[in-house]
Amino acid sequence: MIQISVSSDVNRLTRWLSSAERDQLPYATALALTRSAQAAQARVKEEIPRAFDRPNPLTKRSVRIMMTRKGETVAKVYLQDEAAKGTPPVRYLFAEVEGGQRNETRFERALRFAGLLPAGMAVVPGKGAPLDAYGNVRNGVATAVLSQVQANAHSGVNENETKGSKKRAGAKRARYFMGRPGGGRLPLGIYQRLAHGVKPIYIVVQQRPSYHPRLRFYELVEAVIQAKFAGLFKEALAQAMRTAK
């Protein structure tokens, strides 16, 4: 979360106020802060499609604000930290804002909990992964993959996809499996079984990918506050004085 404190700006702007205007100061400050936060929110949302290739709807609406209450001198603009389904935006966007390694996804945590993903390892989409319009593995596929590889883990299956294991598997074995196909020649990953061979859906890599900051979240928010707060405060004070009459 980013917090923007404007107490010093308020002091500078209110030095010459009349007593009547000072009475309206708490209301005007809160209103100006809320409007400044809304302007900053709009600016970051505008930047998201420029920073990312095909951002999904959750990412596009991930910028939130916390309304400023009367008497407060802080506005808050933040990235959404919860989601009804999937990973909250603040988790997967953190590295895009701060740089460094991305956070572990819910999919990776589930694999690790099942004992399938070793410590220090991560998964990335394989060449055969069916992707949605936003470049992510399709939700239905990810759900089916997770269900089947977890079921394999719980039943003790360790799939290396040798000729012998293929023959023993028959038609009842899971469509997706985790292992090193081709007698161990292919990399560890999650594969889809085909009539003739396998297709890589996820590949296990040594560590989570690292990112350089792509979304200038802090800079954009601070720039908007610096540019707009004084004007919005004057407008809010004038509105407060009109309603007080």
Side-chain angles (χ1 to χ4, degrees):
M1 182 183 291
I2 183 171
Q3 294 190 141
I4 308 95
S5 175
V6 296
S7 55
S8 59
D9 289 326
V10 172
N11 292 334
R12 178 176 58 81
L13 294 168
T14 60
R15 190 175 303 169
W16 310 110
L17 293 184
S18 66
S19 59
E21 288 173 323
R22 287 185 181 280
D23 289 341
Q24 300 301 318
L25 190 56
Y27 171 80
T29 301
L31 183 58
L33 280 168
T34 295
R35 289 175 176 173
S36 297
Q38 289 170 336
Q41 177 189 36
R43 179 66 186 90
V44 178
K45 290 174 75 172
E46 181 183 79
E47 184 67 17
I48 285 175
R50 299 191 184 106
F52 305 117
D53 178 33
R54 296 171 294 166
N56 63 35
L58 182 60
T59 300
K60 289 180 180 178
R61 60 175 184 266
S62 63
V63 187
R64 301 295 180 87
I65 68 168
M66 191 172 294
M67 305 289 284
T68 307
R69 295 178 295 184
K70 185 177 178 180
E72 294 180 340
T73 59
V74 173
K76 296 178 182 179
V77 184
Y78 64 98
L79 294 174
Q80 185 177 337
D81 55 5
E82 58 184 27
K85 293 182 179 179
T87 305
V90 71
R91 288 190 59 83
Y92 63 77
L93 289 177
F94 183 84
E96 305 286 7
V97 173
E98 300 283 357
Q101 285 190 343
R102 67 159 170 80
N103 286 310
E104 188 175 61
T105 66
R106 185 174 295 184
F107 184 84
E108 288 169 334
R109 288 197 302 275
L111 290 176
R112 203 178 306 284
F113 183 78
L116 293 167
L117 189 63
M121 308 291 272
V123 295
V124 296
K127 292 182 179 179
L131 305 179
D132 61 21
Y134 311 107
N136 302 313
V137 177
R138 292 175 185 167
N139 279 337
V141 173
T143 300
V145 165
L146 192 57
S147 173
Q148 291 180 28
V149 297
Q150 283 179 322
N152 279 355
H154 294 154
S155 63
V157 173
N158 183 10
E159 179 65 84
N160 285 322
E161 197 69 356
T162 62
K163 290 182 179 179
S165 66
K166 283 183 183 180
K167 185 176 180 180
R168 292 191 299 272
K172 295 183 179 180
R173 187 63 64 82
R175 184 183 176 200
Y176 300 104
F177 66 92
M178 188 165 191
R180 297 178 182 273
R185 293 189 301 275
L186 295 179
L188 178 63
I190 296 173
Y191 293 82
Q192 180 183 10
R193 192 186 312 283
L194 304 174
H196 302 286
V198 296
K199 181 165 65 174
I201 306 300
Y202 291 96
I203 297 299
V204 175
V205 295
Q206 277 295 106
Q207 60 182 1
R208 295 191 299 277
S210 294
Y211 299 94
H212 294 291
R214 295 171 66 186
L215 180 61
R216 299 177 299 115
F217 183 85
Y218 299 106
E219 294 91 332
L220 292 172
V221 171
E222 290 171 356
V224 169
I225 298 299
Q226 290 294 322
K228 292 185 173 292
F229 179 74
L232 290 172
F233 175 77
K234 291 176 181 178
E235 292 176 4
L237 183 59
Q239 180 179 332
M241 294 301 294
R242 288 194 301 270
T243 57
K245 293 179 180 179

